[in-house]
Structure formats: C-alpha cells, structure tokens
Amino acid sequence: MKVRDSGMPEEEMWISFFDPPKVLATLGLINGIENLVEFGCGYGTFTLAAAGIASGTVHALDIEPEMVQVVEQKCRVAGIVNVQATVSDFVAEGTGLDANSMDAAVLFNILHHEQPVVLMKEALRVLKPSGTLAVIHWNYDPTTPRGPAMIIRPRPEQCIAWGKEAGFPFNEQNRYDLPPYHYGITFKKPFTQIN
Ligand SMILES: C[S@@+](CC[C@H](N)C(=O)[O-])C[C@H]1O[C@@H](n2cnc3c(N)ncnc32)[C@H](O)[C@@H]1O
C-alpha cells in the first residue's frame, strides 16, 4: 500500500529542496557504512550520494516501477554498480532483507505513513547492532513549498516517540536542522533490544 500523500513533484523541483551529500554528512552517514537500505528511494535524490559512501550495497526500494527505473538509469549513466534498486511494497511485505544485515537505514520524507512504527520496527530488524536509522522530514511549518498535509505531517518529537516505541533509544544530541525546509533525527540500534 502506497504511503498516503507520498507522490512526488517534478524532479527538478524536488532536487532543489536538498543538498544530498550534505544531508547525509550532517546525519553522520559519512563512512564506515557497508550496506544501507532506503525506504522509498523516489528519484534517487539520496541514493546516488549514499552509493558514494557505502562500501557494500545500497538497497533502494520503491513501490513505483518508474522510480526504480529512474534510479537504475541514473546509476548506469554514473557508472555506479553498488545500488540494488527493487520494486517493493515495504508496507505490505517488509524489505525482504536479512535481519542484522544493514549498517544504515534511511526513512526520508516517508514517516507520515499510517503506521510509522511498523516501518521503524522493520528498520530495527534489518540493522546491525549499533547501526543507524536516519529520518528526515519536512519542517512542521505550513509555509514549506511542498510536504504532506499538516494534519498528517509529524513533528520531530513525534518521530522520536515513534522511534522509542519501535525499540530505539534516543539521545537529544541526535536532532539536526537541515535547512531550508527539513529536520533530521538519528537513532542507533542497541546491542540489546529494549522492548
Ligand atoms: C515523498 S517520496 C520520498 C522519496 C525519497 N525518500 C526522498 O526523500 O527523496 C516517497 C517515496 O516512497 C514511495 N513509497 C510510498 N509508499 C511505498 C511503499 N508502501 N513501499 C515502497 N515505496 C513506497 C513513493 O513511491 C515515493 O517514491
């Protein structure tokens, strides 16, 4: 089931909202990452930047075959060989990845899902102990040029509460401003499950 309000504007507009390498670096996704999973890769705005920092595979999942084709095509053109782009409904089926296999999981602009904790629990499952879950979302501000309707748009505090509910501890230091329109949050998978 496609996440509500998760359609994309034209790519030219979407890419203008982000500096992908800077976003990843701000979230601490810089090096030491072997495998990464991206829930909802869209145009691959962050996928190609992630491929540059991952020594293993970037698993880019999207329910839209067109998005997966766009990402595959971009990787071909850029000579990137460590992206595995797959058509997948991670709401209905999960990621299909092995437990404890990923160093990082990214939930970017997707947590306005009806069941965000389900997605975060799946991230927890596939992450290695000490692996990073990174979340970004639109600021809780009705003047942003895009973003889900305010009624379903989560505040950072809400994402933190969902992460805790999913089983991630949270450290206040791991909140980030991602100007002009986004915030970020990171969580680390504990070595021992906390729930
Ligand atoms: C708002 S876009 C964000 C794309 C990307 N994360 C970014 O920030 O640039 C959300 C993406 O998630 C995909 N998506 C929505 N529901 C999904 C589902 N159930 N399974 C897999 N992908 C899904 C949409 O097709 C869309 O490409």
Side-chain angles (χ1 to χ4, degrees):
M1 181 186 65
K2 188 163 178 173
V3 171
R4 58 189 173 179
D5 227 350
S6 69
M8 302 280 279
E10 291 300 310
E11 183 173 7
E12 197 180 335
M13 175 190 261
W14 186 256
I15 187 70
S16 73
F17 300 138
F18 309 100
D19 178 343
K22 190 170 175 190
V23 168
L24 296 180
T26 302
L27 298 172
L29 301 177
I30 306 169
N31 46 35
I33 290 171
E34 186 183 355
N35 301 315
L36 178 150
V37 56
E38 183 178 21
F39 288 71
C41 57
Y43 295 119
T45 309
F46 296 94
T47 316
L48 277 75
I53 55 166
S55 60
T57 302
V58 172
H59 297 269
L61 312 178
D62 207 286
I63 198 169
E64 296 287 354
E66 297 79 12
M67 292 297 180
V68 168
Q69 283 163 14
V70 165
V71 170
E72 286 175 338
Q73 171 67 6
K74 283 182 177 174
C75 290
R76 262 195 301 276
V77 169
I80 291 172
V81 295
N82 65 332
V83 170
Q84 175 67 57
T86 308
V87 179
S88 144
D89 181 345
F90 48 68
V91 173
E93 300 156 8
T95 60
L97 297 168
D98 289 342
N100 304 308
S101 61
M102 297 290 120
D103 300 277
V106 301
L107 285 164
F108 287 179
N109 299 303
I110 196 87
L111 270 193
H112 49 284
H113 176 39
E114 289 87 344
Q115 294 174 286
V117 177
V118 170
L119 299 186
M120 295 173 105
K121 281 188 172 167
E122 175 64 359
L124 185 73
R125 185 186 71 79
V126 300
L127 281 171
K128 298 174 185 171
S130 187
T132 301
L133 168 61
V135 169
I136 75 168
H137 220 313
W138 289 92
N139 289 339
Y140 195 79
D141 171 358
T143 68
T144 58
R146 290 285 301 193
M150 295 307 290
I151 194 157
I152 59 168
R153 195 183 298 200
R155 291 180 166 86
E157 295 71 23
Q158 182 63 74
C159 295
I160 292 165
W162 287 331
K164 288 180 180 171
E165 190 182 337
F168 289 96
F170 178 68
N171 183 329
E172 267 303 320
Q173 289 174 332
N174 298 333
R175 296 168 69 132
Y176 310 89
D177 249 344
L178 302 170
Y181 304 120
H182 286 73
Y183 63 85
I185 299 165
T186 58
F187 303 86
K188 288 261 180 228
K189 178 171 175 172
F191 280 88
T192 311
Q193 302 290 99
I194 56 174
N195 65 359

